[in-house]
């Protein structure tokens, strides 16, 4: 037997990829400890009861549950997690109450959490095994290491995104949406800095985005800030790093003028601020000793105070989540009104059909269009949420050291997206005339963000909403969300059908056999939605045969939903075709539908009818029609037209004209 291979030294790459390696933990006296761990076997990873003697899910004191970052660069996610500490109802929405804990006899080592994904709360089940090094958590942890809600939630989010590695780099706003189901705004602090000193008389457009506004919001929602490039005072803060604004305090200085101080939490959990308001800094001389002692006593590990002027100078961006009430309604950041009416519809930009690009392109009118109807004056937020085109998190890691993981560069997963609104007198309009006029509201630019939105005050009436990508002919899926103080209705605008003249969409001339199959999607039974959802195998499944003969046959499959094109119940529809393996007629349908389809008619389109022409070899197949979202009810017809070979009948002229006509009619009837 040969000598054993020398052990590899521990690396974060090994940690993230989950490979089987004997990790080497060096000690001060030159000895090493080997930790052979394997991430795909839960029994090889310790659980909370192996990490500490009395694990708890939540702390008795909120400060004990304060977030702390580990080896993983997911500061953006940890900052969003702090939002759950501000609202018990938000925490219970993510962590459903009543789950067994480690001290319960019914505990089986599992937890169930909910994450909001593209319009739905999805349940995620995990075991309680957590990555450790030398008996300590190596990724996120709470201030008290016997509190485990944070590392468990981090594991849930890693499962949703495919791995811990895919949590490296991201946007705080995206995580806030996933944990609350609401909206989050990003404010450029350089814009606020330009208005600094004029906050009693703010300039137009800045009256709602000030540090004083953050002071009013501090108890109702999460506020995060970020550094994208280091400057003199914050050099040790690093770059591409996110922080939590844990408090704001307005005080009177000894000289009688107002001072606004912000308490900042660094997820690294260590002191790093070198500005005027560091502990022992000269800034504290401006306050009364009692105020100074009180504010310094509030500091936890990793927290520091900074003055408004320093804050605007040293930090680059602020992310603020919309407050969410216990009833699930959003509250305006600006007017504090309840946005208690909400609507959402999915959509897609399809190359060559509905991907018209920005308003610089002549094909802009081909973009997806939606009717928005208001019955009363309302404050409205309209948002376009993109579905990632690749992996949920395919971002490259940001450059830098430990914890520098706030994504700043455009992600290849997302398109640059914008949104515009036009007011119209009625729903039957001339699109060229309407879209050539200035919109009543629109995003400032197309942004490489997962979600873009605009807020506006709108009068009653009909509005046309047009989401668009900056470039034309790029395909992507999105969810259009509308939140309003007044009653609102949202529906897809009718898109004229393109002439069916493309050679790839027309069945070649000749004789065909046509089969029509009728079915329905019923909520909770046969409305399984698209393949993005685990309920997809519940959809209706229709078998059909392609007869023997030529090498391949032309088959034209059409799916038509039974509603008017102008009907508000028009669903985005599509279908997949699966080939039944030879001898596999008895195969379970569910197992077949979990495999990759042979061909598809997707993305799902808001159309009364979708179709695809395909070349199929002889054999057995199954076609599965579906709506995009589960539980969308409706009836439909699937038409399968197959080009077939017919034996020719030729009548001889000597038999006479009458017999020749009979022979021709017989061929047509067969």
């Amino acid at each position: 037997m040969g000598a054993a291979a020398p052990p590899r030294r521990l690396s974060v790459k090994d940690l993230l990829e989950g490979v089987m390696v004997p990790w080497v933990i060096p000690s001060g006296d030159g000895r090493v400890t080997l930790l052979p761990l394997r991430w795909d076997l839960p029994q090889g990873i310790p659980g909370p009861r192996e990490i500490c003697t009395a694990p708890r899910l939540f702390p008795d004191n909120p400060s004990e549950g304060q977030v702390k970052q580990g080896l993983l660069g997911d500061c953006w996610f940890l900052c969003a997690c702090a939002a759950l500490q501000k609202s018990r109802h938000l925490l219970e929405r993510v962590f459903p109450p009543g789950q067994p804990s480690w001290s319960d006899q019914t505990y089986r080592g599992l937890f169930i959490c909910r994450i909001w994904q593209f319009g739905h709360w999805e349940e995620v089940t995990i075991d309680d095994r957590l990555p450790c090094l030398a008996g300590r958590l190596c990724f996120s942890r709470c201030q008290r290491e016997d509190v485990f809600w944070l590392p468990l939630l981090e594991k849930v989010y890693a499962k949703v995104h495919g791995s811990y590695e895919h949590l490296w780099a991201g946007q705080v706003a995206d995580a806030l949406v996933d944990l609350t189901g609401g909206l989050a705004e990003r404010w450029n602090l350089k814009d606020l800095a330009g208005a600094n000193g004029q906050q009693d008389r703010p300039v137009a457009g800045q009256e709602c985005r000030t540090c004083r506004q953050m002071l009013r919001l501090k108890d109702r929602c999460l506020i995060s800030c970020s550094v994208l490039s280091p400057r003199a005072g914050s050099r040790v803060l690093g770059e591409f790093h996110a922080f939590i604004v844990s408090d704001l305090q307005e005080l009177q200085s000894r000289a009688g003028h107002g001072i606004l101080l912000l308490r900042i939490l660094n997820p690294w959990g260590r002191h790093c601020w070198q500005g005027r308001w560091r502990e022992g800094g000269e800034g504290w001389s401006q306050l009364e000793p009692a105020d100074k002692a009180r504010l310094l006593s509030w500091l936890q590990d990793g927290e520091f105070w900074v003055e408004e002027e320093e804050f605007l100078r040293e930090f680059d961006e602020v992310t603020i989540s919309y407050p969410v009430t216990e009833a699930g309604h959003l509250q305006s950041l600006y007017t504090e009104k309840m946005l208690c009416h909400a609507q959402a519809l999915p959509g897609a930009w399809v190359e060559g059909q509905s991907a018209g690009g920005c308003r610089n392109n002549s094909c802009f009118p081909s973009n997806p269009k939606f009717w928005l109807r208001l019955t009363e004056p309302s404050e409205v937020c309209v948002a376009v949420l993109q579905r990632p085109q690749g992996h949920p998190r395919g971002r490259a890691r940001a450059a830098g050291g430990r914890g520098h993981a706030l994504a700043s560069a455009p992600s290849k997963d997302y398109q640059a997206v914008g949104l515009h609104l036009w007011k119209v007198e009625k729903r039957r309009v001339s699109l060229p005339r309407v879209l050539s006029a200035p919109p009543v509201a629109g995003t400032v630019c197309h942004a490489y963000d997962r979600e873009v939105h605009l807020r506006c005050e709108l009068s009653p009436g009909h509005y046309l909403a047009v989401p668009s990508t900056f470039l034309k002919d790029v395909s992507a899926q999105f969810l259009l969300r509308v939140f309003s103080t007044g009653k609102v209705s949202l529906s897809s605008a009718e898109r004229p059908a393109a002439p069916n003249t493309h050679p790839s969409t027309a069945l070649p001339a000749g004789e065909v056999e046509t089969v029509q199959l009728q079915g329905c999607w019923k909520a909770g039974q046969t409305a399984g939605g698209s393949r993005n959802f685990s309920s997809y195998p519940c959809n209706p499944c229709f078998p059909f045969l392609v007869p023997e003969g030529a090498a391949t046959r032309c088959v034209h499959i059409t799916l038509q939903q039974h509603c008017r094109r102008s009907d508000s119940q028009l669903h985005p529809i599509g279908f997949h075709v699966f080939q039944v393996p030879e001898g596999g007629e008895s195969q379970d349908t569910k197992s077949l539908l979990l495999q990759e389809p042979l061909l598809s008619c997707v993305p799902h389109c808001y159309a009364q009818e979708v179709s695809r022409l395909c070349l199929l070899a002889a054999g057995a197949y199954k076609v599965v029609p579906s709506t995009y979202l589960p539980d969308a009810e409706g009836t439909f017809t699937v038409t399968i037209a197959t080009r077939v070979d017919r034996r020719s009948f030729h009548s001889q002229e000597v038999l006479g004209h009458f017999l020749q006509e009979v022979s021709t009619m017989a061929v047509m009837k067969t």
Side-chain angles (χ1 to χ4, degrees), residues 300-363:
Q300 303 286 329
D301 289 345
E303 288 187 324
F304 56 90
W305 290 98
V306 58
E307 193 177 2
E308 178 184 13
E309 182 181 350
E310 285 181 311
F311 178 75
L312 295 175
R313 182 177 68 246
E314 302 295 345
F315 292 84
D316 295 284
E317 191 175 74
V318 158
T319 301
I320 302 181
S321 64
Y322 275 62
V324 182
T325 67
E326 293 189 27
H329 299 147
L330 299 192
Q331 189 175 13
S332 172
L333 292 177
Y334 305 99
T335 63
E336 301 186 11
K337 295 178 180 179
M338 292 296 174
L339 304 172
C340 51
H341 299 275
Q343 297 284 335
L345 281 177
W349 296 287
V350 181
E351 181 181 357
Q353 299 181 32
S354 59
C358 67
R359 296 178 67 207
N360 296 328
N361 299 304
S362 59
C363 50

Side-chain angles (χ1 to χ4, degrees), residues 16-58:
L16 295 172
E17 292 181 349
V19 296
M20 177 65 173
V21 294
W23 291 336
V24 179
I25 312 298
S27 61
D29 57 4
R31 294 179 299 174
V32 297
T33 302
L34 300 182
L35 297 177
L37 297 178
R38 183 170 176 174
W39 295 104
D40 59 344
L41 295 178
Q43 59 267 30
I45 307 174
R49 284 185 287 197
E50 290 77 48
I51 297 172
C52 64
T53 56
R56 297 177 292 163
L57 186 58
F58 301 111

Side-chain angles (χ1 to χ4, degrees), residues 171 174 186 317 349 358 384-386 389 395 408-420 442-454 467-471 474 476:
Q171 290 290 350
D174 295 347
R186 293 164 60 188
E317 191 175 74
W349 296 287
C358 67
V384 180
L385 175 68
Q386 294 188 69
Q389 298 187 47
R395 282 192 173 92
S408 63
S411 168
K412 294 182 180 180
D413 286 339
Y414 302 121
Q415 300 295 333
V417 170
L419 174 66
H420 295 85
T443 52
V444 176
C445 62
H446 286 66
Y448 284 99
D449 292 329
R450 190 180 77 165
E451 185 168 42
V452 299
H453 58 87
L454 59 90
S468 64
T469 57
F470 181 75
L471 299 175
V474 291

Side-chain angles (χ1 to χ4, degrees), residues 177-195:
V177 171
D178 291 343
L179 295 178
T180 67
L183 294 174
E185 285 194 4
R186 293 164 60 188
W187 296 357
N188 187 336
L189 289 179
K190 300 312 152 207
D191 294 339
L192 300 192

